[in-house]
């Protein structure tokens, strides 16, 4: 197609040579200049024009490449346990799983890092690619164990011998090319002297205790009723036995 010119306002300081010298001028290219409606033997202001087809084509190719790249890339979705509590001196499994549109392979990698609660230096505590690599230095040296199964998309770790200095945020990042990790999973660990019970657990204990108490009361009431009935039956039997005994006494006297 012919080029679509984009023209700037004329600059009166730029003029064309006489008309005779413009014979045989070359056609417009991507950046060309020409005179609009020239008058013979008069200097004319020059308009600067640029052909738009190359630019339109470049932008079209760029946008198509970006859209194609976005269409081919999906995200890795990571799921963690959120906020957890663990007792000092024990071990705790930090759960992290993921979902990906592509199968797990040799290029799949997992990085666990730790950010202290007091805002200290962030450090890597576990790296996995085909096999786990625990941190050889730092506060977690010898205390982090791989406890996941990459083929089941479970990338959990276990921290042993918990200490109060382990309070902070553990971050679980998964890469499974060509999928990318959109959100890094986080587990906020609070190491405490004694584990505090959640509201749901307390509510469950209260409801269970109340139900057990009601059942116990019902059992007691039924037991009391059965005892009373048995006593009444025994009393009736005793009375009947006394009557039969008296009858035998009277019969023996009459005889």
């Amino acid at each position: 197609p012919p080029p679509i010119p984009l023209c700037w306002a004329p600059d009166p300081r730029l003029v064309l040579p006489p008309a005779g010298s413009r014979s045989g001028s070359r056609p417009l290219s991507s950046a060309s200049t020409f005179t609009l409606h020239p008058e013979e033997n008069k200097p004319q202001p020059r308009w600067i024009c640029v052909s738009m087809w190359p630019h339109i084509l470049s932008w079209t190719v760029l946008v198509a490449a970006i859209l194609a790249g976005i269409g081919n890339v999906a995200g890795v979705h990571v799921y963690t346990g959120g906020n957890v509590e663990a007792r000092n001196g024990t071990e705790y499994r930090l759960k992290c799983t993921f979902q990906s549109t592509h199968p797990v392979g040799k290029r799949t990698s997992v990085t666990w890092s730790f950010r202290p609660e007091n805002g200290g230096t962030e450090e890597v505590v576990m790296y996995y690619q085909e096999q786990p690599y625990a941190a050889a230095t730092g506060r977690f040296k010898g205390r982090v164990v791989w406890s996941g199964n990459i083929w089941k998309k479970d990338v959990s770790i276990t921290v042993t011998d918990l200490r109060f200095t382990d309070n902070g945020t553990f971050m679980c990042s998964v890469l499974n090319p060509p999928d990318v990790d959109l959100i890094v999973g986080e587990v906020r660990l609070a190491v405490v002297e004694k584990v505090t019970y959640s509201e749901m657990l307390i509510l469950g204990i209260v409801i269970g205790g109340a139900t057990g108490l009601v059942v116990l009361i019902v059992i007691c009431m039924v037991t009391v009723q059965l005892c009373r009935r048995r006593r009444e039956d025994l009393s009736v039997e005793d009375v009947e036995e006394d009557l039969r005994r008296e009858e035998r006494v009277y019969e023996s006297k009459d005889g």
Side-chain angles (χ1 to χ4, degrees):
I4 301 176
L6 174 65
C7 300
W8 283 268
D11 186 350
R13 295 172 299 174
L14 301 176
V15 295
L16 287 174
S21 63
R22 298 198 304 273
S23 60
S25 59
R26 58 187 178 87
L28 289 174
S29 62
S30 61
S32 305
T33 60
F34 67 100
T35 302
L36 298 177
H37 305 292
E39 295 182 8
E40 192 66 28
N41 298 326
K42 290 184 180 180
Q44 299 296 326
R46 177 172 292 185
W47 289 68
I48 302 176
C49 299
V50 177
S51 175
M52 292 300 296
W53 282 115
H55 300 279
I56 294 175
L57 181 61
S58 300
W59 280 105
T60 302
V61 173
L62 179 60
V63 171
I66 293 174
L67 293 178
I70 294 175
N72 291 330
V73 175
V76 176
H77 300 278
V78 179
Y79 307 94
T80 61
N83 299 339
V84 297
E85 286 186 352
R87 190 161 55 89
N88 182 42
T90 63
E91 65 178 36
Y92 194 87
R93 185 173 185 264
L94 303 178
K95 186 177 180 181
C96 180
T97 58
F98 70 95
Q99 292 293 331
S100 176
T101 57
H102 286 78
V104 175
K106 294 183 178 181
R107 298 174 62 192
T108 305
S109 63
V110 182
T111 303
W112 276 92
S113 55
F114 173 76
R115 183 173 62 243
E117 188 178 37
N118 57 10
T121 304
E122 185 175 315
E123 59 182 289
V124 176
V125 299
M126 174 69 72
Y127 178 77
Y128 182 97
Q129 187 170 12
E130 295 191 84
Q131 63 178 349
Y133 300 91
T137 59
R139 74 179 72 197
F140 293 100
K141 178 181 179 181
R143 296 196 296 125
V144 179
V145 180
W146 176 262
S147 56
N149 187 334
I150 195 71
W151 304 109
K152 294 182 179 180
K153 299 179 181 179
D154 182 357
V155 294
S156 305
I157 61 173
T158 299
V159 182
T160 62
D161 188 21
L162 286 172
R163 306 165 186 173
F164 293 114
T165 55
D166 297 339
N167 286 325
T169 302
F170 289 83
M171 290 158 288
C172 175
S173 176
V174 181
L175 295 178
N176 188 36
D179 284 359
V180 294
D181 189 1
L182 299 179
I183 300 177
V184 176
E186 294 187 351
V187 181
R188 187 174 182 180
L189 175 64
V191 181
V192 295
E193 187 66 33
K194 293 183 179 180
V195 178
T196 58
Y197 296 100
S198 65
E199 294 181 358
M200 293 299 296
L201 182 58
I202 294 175
L203 180 62
I205 293 174
V206 172
I207 294 176
T211 304
L213 182 61
V214 171
V215 172
L216 182 61
I217 292 174
V218 171
I219 292 174
C220 291
M221 293 178 63
V222 171
T223 303
V224 170
Q225 291 296 329
L226 291 175
C227 291
R228 286 180 178 177
R229 183 173 300 176
R230 186 170 182 179
R231 288 180 181 178
E232 291 176 356
D233 293 341
L234 290 175
S235 299
V236 171
E237 290 179 359
D238 291 341
V239 170
E240 292 177 351
E241 181 65 25
D242 291 341
L243 291 175
R244 284 194 294 270
R245 186 180 300 110
E246 290 178 358
E247 288 178 357
R248 287 196 295 269
V249 171
Y250 287 140
E251 289 176 357
S252 61
K253 287 182 179 181
D254 293 339

